[in-house]
Amino acid sequence: MFRLLVLLFATLVGVAAALPVSAQEPLKIEDLFRPAAYANPILSENGRYFAVTIPINERRNLAVLDLETGNAVGLTSFSDFDVIDINWLGNDRLTFSLGQARSPTGPGQFQGGGLFVVSRDGKETRKINGTVREAQQLNRIYRNLEVYRALPGNSEEFIAQGNQRDADSNDLYRVNARTGRLTLITEDRPANAQSWVLDREFTPRVVTSWIRDTFTFVVWYRKDAKSPWEELTRFDETKGPTFVPLVFEDDNQTMQVAFNGGRDTMGVFRYDPNSKKLGELLAAHPKFDMGANAFGSTVPGVITDPKTRKVVGSRVEAEQPETVWTDPEYARIQRTIDQALPETVNTFRRTPDGKRLVVTARADRRPVTWFMLDEEKRTLQELFVSQPWIKPEMLVEQRPFWFKTRDGLEINGYVFLPNNRKPGEKLPTVVHIHGGPQVRADTWGSGFGWLEGQLLASRGYAVIVPNFRVTPGLGGRIFYAGFGEIGRRMIDDHEDAAKWAIEQGIADPERICMSGASYGGYATLMSLARFPSTFKCGIAGLLVGDMELQLTSPSTDFARSRSAVNFWLRMIGVARTSDIPREISPQFLADRIKQPLLIYAGADDVRTPLEQTSRMVRALRSAGNPPKHVIIKAGEGHGFGKVENNVELYNRVFEFLDEHIGRRK
């Protein structure tokens, strides 16, 4: 499992070999879709044990490695879910949840979820909260529970949050990991509480609540556990400006918050909740959100030293991950690591003893690799390679680009080109649209778009992976512009990205296909109906054909959630499901779709249920354009998890593309 790289600091430069320039061999489908050999390594509190997921039963299952002895023990053996959201409780126990790692919208719960505790040796296990699937089998509404934070030095207890007491509110609980007992610690709270911030003594001091049947959120604060709640501010999540409390500083009075008032992107500020005044700007980027995105989800931002708690730098998920250190010692360490690993973007964190650093090396053309840097011994030890069977020469560059929409937005994306493309060569092109849509599903070196981009580029296709309005993380202007525009300007963005590829001399305008899953499947169908001269074929996975059905059918996993339905109505731009116009549902535009289609779905999908695919296929057949291929897999949900199903799917995709837009001339 370990390979030791003894690297004297004086000779660190040039360790990584240059990439060969020979013609690229087609990347094997199974090489990308088989579970990673190692993923998500997390170090225990004492720095001795790594929790990591490894492939068991063709799924990502949990194991623990002892760094002192080299011994490893597998703790789970799920065959229908991947282990996600792993946390250490001290050094003796771990928590985890279940999900679908290969979802086009990022690792999700879908029929998984749940909250589980397991001892480090695997001898003690406990289910704290059941899964979505179990709730469905009992015909119950799923009540969520997830880890909010571990407690230092404590393997027996942790703090969890969930809507156990009220379906529309998140409470905090102190959880006994051994017995599963929950003790409510937020009994006194505003209605419809959504997210919490604890102070340094773990007292709930800030909560953001939701005003029922609106899109308005209210941020509340109290001076201590006995003081009344006071309103700090409120905001409309669909319009902004967005205000997200992040953390209390050491004085237990000053907060750090993410805010985009008076600016496009979210920046991290100091904030005095007693005077309600914004203070020093700690971190900001002109094009990408920091601290939190406009949707309210946390993203990289300020970095603090774990011992001194002083701000030492900042990090942003930009076109590529970027880190800026204000602390000279951290900057020195970064230079040392970057000299040793010049072909990757490298991040690091200190072990609890302060003597070693865990280094994560990411790249678009290399599998993620984790190292241990020992500054005293002057060694860099390779710990884990996520996919050791993938070599750099098998992959292509993931190049960032920016395109302008017809109404003036500037949006980023990525382009994948075959390694041996000649200058000026126009290629058959696939425009891949991410799922969500209100998620940032594709980042540098990861995401469903990266997978498809690498597979298709290795076979001679150009692949354009654009973001589009309502994608969070790219500033408020792009995010807020998506509300009310599903099926309308959001679809325009997809064609604008294709036109960018034509203008750049990348895409052959007569050979452009669209691909996507979940929202991307919906977008593919809508784009074929609206822009038949641009898109010559489509690959639509996990699709939505009837938007009204999607929000009303009991087969979906969210139709019974009033708040979820209302949010989607706001994104569509109507007040009621009965007001949804038929022209934004591709099922009712089937007679306008003349291009060849490949459609795929999971039989057990609860996010975009199989009824959506079945009705869309019937509509296309009635219109005289039946799909060329319809692939439905039993035992699969919102994304294919089984390697053999992905191999079959993409072999069909390659045949489909070769037939309808052709390989390179």
Side-chain angles (χ1 to χ4, degrees), residues 111 127 129-143 560:
Q111 288 191 313
K127 178 170 64 178
N129 198 55
T131 63
V132 175
R133 178 180 294 174
E134 290 170 322
Q136 291 173 337
Q137 290 171 345
L138 296 172
N139 197 30
R140 295 176 180 172
I141 295 176
Y142 177 66
R143 294 297 180 94
R560 288 184 286 183

Side-chain angles (χ1 to χ4, degrees), residues 595-614:
Q595 305 95 315
L597 266 166
L598 183 152
I599 288 175
Y600 64 94
D604 298 337
D605 194 346
V606 294
R607 179 57 50 90
T608 57
L610 187 58
E611 63 187 3
Q612 290 282 350
T613 295
S614 301

Side-chain angles (χ1 to χ4, degrees), residues 50-84:
F50 260 115
V52 64
T53 59
I54 61 175
I56 299 174
N57 295 329
E58 297 188 3
R59 288 289 188 173
R60 297 183 182 185
N61 275 282
L62 179 60
V64 167
L65 169 71
D66 187 329
L67 291 177
E68 290 188 6
T69 66
N71 294 331
V73 57
L75 301 181
T76 65
S77 56
F78 295 100
S79 59
D80 49 356
F81 292 112
D82 296 298
V83 173
I84 61 174

Side-chain angles (χ1 to χ4, degrees), residues 353-365:
D353 60 15
K355 297 179 180 180
R356 297 172 298 169
L357 300 105
V358 178
V359 179
T360 302
R362 293 174 56 186
D364 54 346
R365 301 189 65 176

Side-chain angles (χ1 to χ4, degrees), residues 166-169 191-192 209-216 562 566:
D166 178 352
D168 290 327
S169 293
N192 303 318
S209 69
W210 167 63
I211 298 179
R212 188 185 296 274
D213 300 330
T214 73
F215 306 101
T216 299
R562 187 171 181 178
N566 285 343

Side-chain angles (χ1 to χ4, degrees), residues 175-223:
V175 183
N176 186 302
R178 188 184 295 276
T179 67
R181 181 184 177 188
L182 275 61
T183 302
L184 180 68
I185 60 175
T186 53
E187 186 170 355
D188 173 28
R189 59 157 170 77
N192 303 318
Q194 301 298 303
S195 58
W196 293 87
V197 177
L198 305 184
D199 66 15
R200 295 295 187 181
E201 278 76 46
F202 311 122
T203 300
R205 294 270 303 285
V206 176
V207 61
T208 301
S209 69
W210 167 63
I211 298 179
R212 188 185 296 274
D213 300 330
T214 73
F215 306 101
T216 299
F217 288 79
V218 181
V219 181
W220 301 88
Y221 164 76
R222 60 181 178 179
K223 293 180 173 61

Side-chain angles (χ1 to χ4, degrees), residues 410-424:
E410 289 189 56
I411 304 178
N412 85 311
Y414 298 98
V415 58
F416 299 78
L417 300 174
N419 284 331
N420 57 359
R421 173 184 178 251
K422 299 175 182 177

Side-chain angles (χ1 to χ4, degrees), residues 307-547:
K307 289 188 176 181
T308 67
R309 294 179 177 174
K310 292 182 178 179
V311 173
V312 293
S314 61
R315 184 169 293 133
V316 60
E317 193 67 56
E319 295 168 330
Q320 297 180 2
E322 298 177 8
T323 302
V324 175
W325 298 108
T326 55
D327 181 271
E329 178 61 15
Y330 277 87
R332 180 195 66 78
I333 295 170
Q334 186 74 61
R335 288 193 299 270
T336 298
I337 294 171
D338 290 346
Q339 288 176 341
L341 304 170
E343 301 293 333
T344 51
V345 173
N346 309 302
T347 56
F348 62 90
R349 64 185 185 276
R350 283 201 177 275
T351 58
D353 60 15
K355 297 179 180 180
R356 297 172 298 169
L357 300 105
V358 178
V359 179
T360 302
R362 293 174 56 186
D364 54 346
R365 301 189 65 176
R366 296 175 185 272
V368 182
T369 305
W370 293 269
F371 300 86
M372 186 75 81
L373 174 63
D374 190 315
E375 293 188 280
E376 289 184 356
K377 296 180 180 179
R378 303 168 69 85
T379 59
L380 189 67
Q381 181 182 9
E382 184 180 288
L383 297 173
F384 311 104
V385 183
S386 59
Q387 297 164 296
W389 51 85
I390 294 180
K391 307 304 177 186
E393 59 269 21
M394 299 178 179
L395 303 176
V396 305
E397 179 187 6
Q398 181 181 0
R399 195 179 81 207
F401 75 94
W402 292 82
F403 70 99
K404 183 170 286 189
T405 68
R406 61 197 68 185
D407 62 341
L409 294 176
E410 289 189 56
I411 304 178
N412 85 311
Y414 298 98
V415 58
F416 299 78
L417 300 174
N419 284 331
N420 57 359
R421 173 184 178 251
K422 299 175 182 177
E425 181 182 6
K426 296 181 180 180
L427 299 173
T429 298
V430 175
V431 177
H432 172 96
I433 303 301
H434 71 66
Q438 72 284 11
V439 297
R440 189 178 175 191
D442 297 306
T443 52
W444 191 71
S446 65
F448 193 56
W450 180 87
L451 288 169
E452 194 160 285
Q454 294 291 352
L455 278 175
L456 297 180
S458 76
R459 284 157 175 82
Y461 295 95
V463 184
I464 310 299
V465 182
N467 288 304
F468 45 89
R469 67 191 69 212
V470 101
T471 303
L474 314 178
R477 190 176 299 116
I478 291 171
F479 177 69
Y480 302 130
F483 288 90
E485 297 297 346
I486 284 184
R488 303 178 182 90
R489 290 187 179 182
M490 206 178 291
I491 303 299
D492 294 346
D493 295 347
H494 310 328
E495 190 196 30
D496 291 339
K499 288 182 175 179
W500 173 89
I502 295 171
E503 293 167 357
Q504 297 297 312
I506 293 171
D508 181 337
E510 300 302 317
R511 297 193 292 166
I512 302 178
C513 190
M514 182 176 277
S515 172
S518 194
Y519 168 79
Y522 164 83
T524 294
L525 296 168
M526 286 297 300
S527 296
L528 265 59
R530 288 191 51 198
F531 306 120
S533 62
T534 301
F535 299 107
K536 311 304 180 183
C537 61
I539 301 163
L542 322 176
L543 61 84
V544 172
D546 183 342
M547 193 64 76

